[in-house]
Amino acid sequence: QSALTQPASVSGSPGQSITISCTGTSSDVGSFNLVSWYQQYPGKAPKLMISEVSKRPSGISNRFSGSKSGNTASLTISGLQAEDEADYFCCSYAGSSRLVFGGGTKLTVL
Amino acid sequence: ELVQSGPEVKKPGESLKISCKDSGDNFRSYWIAWVRQTPGKGLEWMGIIYPGDSDTRYNPSFEGHVTISADKSISTAYLQWSSLKASDTAIYYCARDFKDALDFWGQGTVVTVSS
């Protein structure tokens, strides 16, 4: 199946809010409330930030939130901080035990 | 914690098996996924295994080219190739799958395939 679609890059100033979209299809994002989001710094492994569309794992700041509408999921980061500059990937369950990732979005904090 | 084996440099056509060892106590009780990362294609889910009974599922894009296995007696999962291609050059991650989210990741294994 095709990868989920994310914008290649987004940017924002410290203190602002940004939203990263993740568009799939009715076979993945649209069918399951099993969208997750990952943060990745250069040279490091991805880190889970959001699971099941909007659940934050223990230790993840409440500045990170997730939502979904139809075939599109979104990650919102509020109160942007310099340390938020990283790559962000979305991921969705696609049936038959399969996961599909988005292409990734590079967040730049201006 | 998931600890992966070290970087590998191989030639096309060679075989390779990389590992992912769980230092925790519940290795048999959850699924382990393998994920490939390349600059051009980002993250790709390759497949998943349940070490408790070795039930394995593959991404059709990788099935037939890689084999996922596990040895529950030593809490280790494996990803192997019988004949590498240059296009297998990538970083490979193992990760724990919990409710279809990958909540703990290994540090990654860099595989370079070049003649």
Side-chain angles (χ1 to χ4, degrees):
Chain A
Q1 64 276 32
S2 301
L4 308 177
T5 300
Q6 299 180 232
S9 62
V10 298
S11 61
S13 299
Q16 288 185 331
S17 293
I18 63 94
T19 296
I20 300 172
S21 62
C22 170
T23 301
T25 69
S26 58
S27 297
D28 38 63
V29 175
S31 287
F32 307 99
N33 289 322
L34 293 169
V35 176
S36 51
W37 289 89
Y38 303 87
Q39 177 191 63
Q40 186 180 34
Y41 293 115
K44 299 295 186 182
K47 176 183 179 181
L48 178 65
M49 305 301 284
I50 296 286
S51 66
E52 296 181 76
V53 177
S54 60
K55 295 182 177 180
R56 280 188 308 276
S58 174
I60 301 302
S61 170
N62 59 9
R63 297 187 299 106
F64 292 83
S65 61
S67 62
K68 191 187 87 166
S69 178
N71 295 338
T72 299
S74 298
L75 172 71
T76 297
I77 307 174
S78 59
L80 208 56
Q81 299 178 1
E83 68 200 47
D84 299 331
E85 186 164 294
D87 293 328
Y88 291 85
F89 294 89
C90 63
C91 179
S92 176
Y93 182 70
S96 302
S97 300
R98 295 173 298 171
L99 298 179
V100 60
F101 284 95
T105 298
K106 180 177 181 57
L107 169 61
T108 300
V109 180
L110 301 171
Chain B
E1 182 183 12
L2 299 175
V3 179
Q4 298 185 229
S5 49
E8 301 276 0
V9 179
K10 292 288 189 179
K11 290 180 168 40
E14 291 186 332
S15 63
L16 175 64
K17 191 173 189 177
I18 62 175
S19 65
C20 168
K21 183 173 178 58
D22 180 14
S23 59
D25 299 328
N26 298 313
F27 183 71
R28 303 178 185 204
S29 305
Y30 51 83
W31 294 80
I32 294 286
W34 286 95
V35 176
R36 183 173 80 174
Q37 185 166 34
T38 57
K41 291 190 174 183
L43 296 172
E44 297 173 277
W45 182 85
M46 302 176 70
I48 198 165
I49 187 165
Y50 188 77
D53 62 6
S54 291
D55 186 5
T56 308
R57 317 285 171 85
Y58 290 94
N59 179 334
S61 298
F62 292 92
E63 191 162 19
H65 184 54
V66 299
T67 301
I68 294 171
S69 61
D71 184 342
K72 60 187 178 184
S73 70
I74 56 171
S75 300
T76 302
Y78 301 97
L79 177 66
Q80 68 181 88
W81 297 257
S82 59
S83 181
L84 287 159
K85 304 175 183 179
S87 56
D88 294 318
T89 295
I91 303 173
Y92 293 88
Y93 293 100
C94 63
R96 186 179 85 156
D97 184 309
F98 182 70
K99 294 186 178 180
D100 299 302
L102 304 178
D103 60 352
F104 289 101
W105 293 64
Q107 82 277 21
T109 295
V110 178
V111 174
T112 304
V113 183
S114 175
S115 55

